[in-house]
Amino acid sequence: MASVHFEVLRDDQLIEVLNEAATLFSEHYGIWGAEAEKNLGTFATAGRRVQMTARRLRAECLPEAADNIYVRVKVNGKLAGHVCATRWMLDGRKACWITQLMVARKLWRRRLATGLLLKLRDAGDHDGLGVLSSHPATILIALQACGRALEGVDSKLIGDNVRAVMACSPVSYVRKAKLHGKLFEDEVEDGSVLCVNTHFYVDHREPLEALQEVRKSGHTWPFGELPEGHEFLVFVKTRTEAW
Ligand SMILES: CC(C)(COP(=O)(O)OP(=O)(O)OC[C@H]1O[C@@H](n2cnc3c(N)ncnc32)[C@H](O)[C@@H]1OP(=O)(O)O)[C@@H](O)C(=O)NCCC(=O)NCCS
C-alpha cells in the first residue's frame, strides 16, 4: 500500500522546496494552447509544456513578504502534489487565495487535490477562499473544501466583494486579472459568466473535457463558458459572520 503524507509549510520553510515544486509544475501542468505564441511569444509555442522555475513560482504564486502557505503531499516519499496559497487582509477580514493546485498526472482522481485543500482549510483562519483556474475540478474541489457544491456558489457575494478583494492581493496576476462575464459586464457575447482574463493561454482541452464530465453528471455549471486566455473565478465565504 502506498504511503501518503501531507505536510503544511510556512513561508520560512519554502526556500528549500521551491525547485522541487517548480519541477512538479513543469512536468505535469499542461501545454500551451493555439493562441499562446501569438499573445505571449515564441516560448509559448502550441503543444509545448508550460514551464516553471523556482524563481517564477516564488514571484507569481508565493510572493516575498506575503502571508503564504504551501501544502504538499508525498506518495511513497516523492512529491505528488501541492497547493500554494496567499492570505491578505481587507477591512478586517482575511482572504485566502489559491495560487496553484497541482497533482502529478499518474495520481489524478485519487483525491490528493481534495486532501490538499482540506489541509489548507484546517491550517487557515481565513474568512474567504478564492481561486482562478481554467480547470473545473479545481473550482469544484475548492467549493467542496468549504462544504459547498456547485449549487452553493453565491454570485451576489462574488459580485459584491471579489473586485475589492482581488484589487489588494499581493499576488500580481490576481490583482491585475480583468473580471469578465455576465456577472460583471452588461454586454457579454461569449457565454462567460464568472471569469477573469489572465492572458494565460494554456490549452483548454483537458479543462473542457472535465467540464463536459461535470455537466454530464447533471450539475449546472454557474461559471459559463471559458474563453481563451481566461480562467474561471470562484470566491467562497468560509466563516458565516464574514463578508
Ligand atoms: C485539477 C487537479 C488538481 C485535480 O487533482 P486530483 O487529485 O485528480 O483531484 P481529486 O482526485 O481530489 O478530485 C476530486 C473530484 O474533483 C472532480 N475531478 C477531478 N478531476 C477531474 C477531471 N479531470 N474531470 C472531471 N472531474 C474531475 C471529481 O468530482 C473528483 O471526484 P471523483 O474522482 O470521486 O469523481 C489535477 O487534475 C491537476 O493537477 N490538473 C492540472 C493542473 C491544473 O489545472 N491546476 C489548476 C490550476 S490552479
Side-chain angles (χ1 to χ4, degrees):
M1 212 168 71
S3 88
V4 179
H5 179 64
F6 290 90
E7 193 181 3
V8 180
L9 304 180
R10 303 281 163 184
D11 210 58
D12 55 352
Q13 301 170 288
L14 288 181
I15 301 288
E16 59 222 63
V17 305
L18 286 174
N19 276 321
E20 201 185 10
T23 302
L24 178 80
F25 181 98
S26 300
E27 290 177 354
H28 299 280
Y29 183 78
I31 56 173
W32 289 113
E35 305 276 309
E37 186 169 347
K38 189 174 67 192
N39 287 283
L40 303 173
T42 48
F43 75 89
T45 306
R48 268 176 81 170
R49 210 153 263 298
V50 182
Q51 294 293 300
M52 181 59 77
T53 61
R55 205 174 157 159
R56 255 189 64 214
L57 185 67
R58 180 61 154 164
E60 292 179 10
C61 299
L62 297 160
E64 303 266 3
D67 178 11
N68 299 308
I69 185 163
Y70 177 78
V71 188
R72 68 181 173 183
V73 58
K74 288 190 171 184
V75 174
N76 294 333
K78 193 169 184 298
L79 183 65
H82 67 209
V83 58
C84 305
T86 297
R87 281 90 55 98
W88 64 91
M89 299 297 295
L90 173 68
D91 298 336
R93 292 169 293 197
K94 190 185 275 190
C96 177
W97 207 275
I98 295 166
T99 55
Q100 197 180 103
L101 176 65
M102 279 295 312
V103 169
R105 284 176 177 264
K106 282 189 182 156
L107 297 168
W108 283 1
R109 304 301 286 261
R110 295 193 195 184
R111 302 244 151 207
L112 293 180
T114 302
L116 287 165
L117 288 207
L118 291 176
K119 287 280 173 206
L120 177 70
R121 180 197 67 187
D122 295 346
D125 56 347
H126 44 269
D127 303 295
L129 179 73
V131 65
L132 309 178
S133 179
S134 57
H135 207 305
T138 297
I139 303 289
L140 270 181
I141 298 165
L143 282 165
Q144 281 165 5
C146 302
R148 306 287 170 90
L150 282 173
E151 292 70 22
V153 172
D154 186 343
S155 299
K156 181 166 182 340
L157 171 93
I158 298 173
D160 289 351
N161 295 285
V162 85
R163 193 182 298 275
V165 171
M166 289 171 66
C168 58
S169 173
V171 180
S172 69
Y173 85 87
V174 173
R175 197 171 57 245
K176 291 177 189 162
K178 187 175 180 309
L179 300 175
H180 176 65
K182 280 187 200 145
L183 190 75
F184 309 111
E185 297 162 303
D186 293 333
E187 310 259 321
V188 178
E189 288 172 3
D190 57 16
S192 56
V193 178
L194 267 166
C195 258
V196 292
N197 186 353
T198 49
H199 304 279
F200 186 42
Y201 289 89
V202 68
D203 188 291
H204 281 170
R205 266 173 292 188
E206 277 177 357
L208 292 179
E209 276 169 25
L211 183 54
Q212 231 175 353
E213 186 182 324
V214 172
R215 282 177 163 150
K216 269 193 196 149
S217 68
H219 292 288
T220 305
W221 180 251
F223 303 89
E225 303 305 324
L226 182 67
E228 293 297 322
H230 287 64
E231 301 183 64
F232 296 120
L233 157 68
V234 74
F235 183 71
V236 189
K237 181 160 77 169
T238 49
R239 276 196 231 257
T240 36
E241 69 274 18
W243 314 98

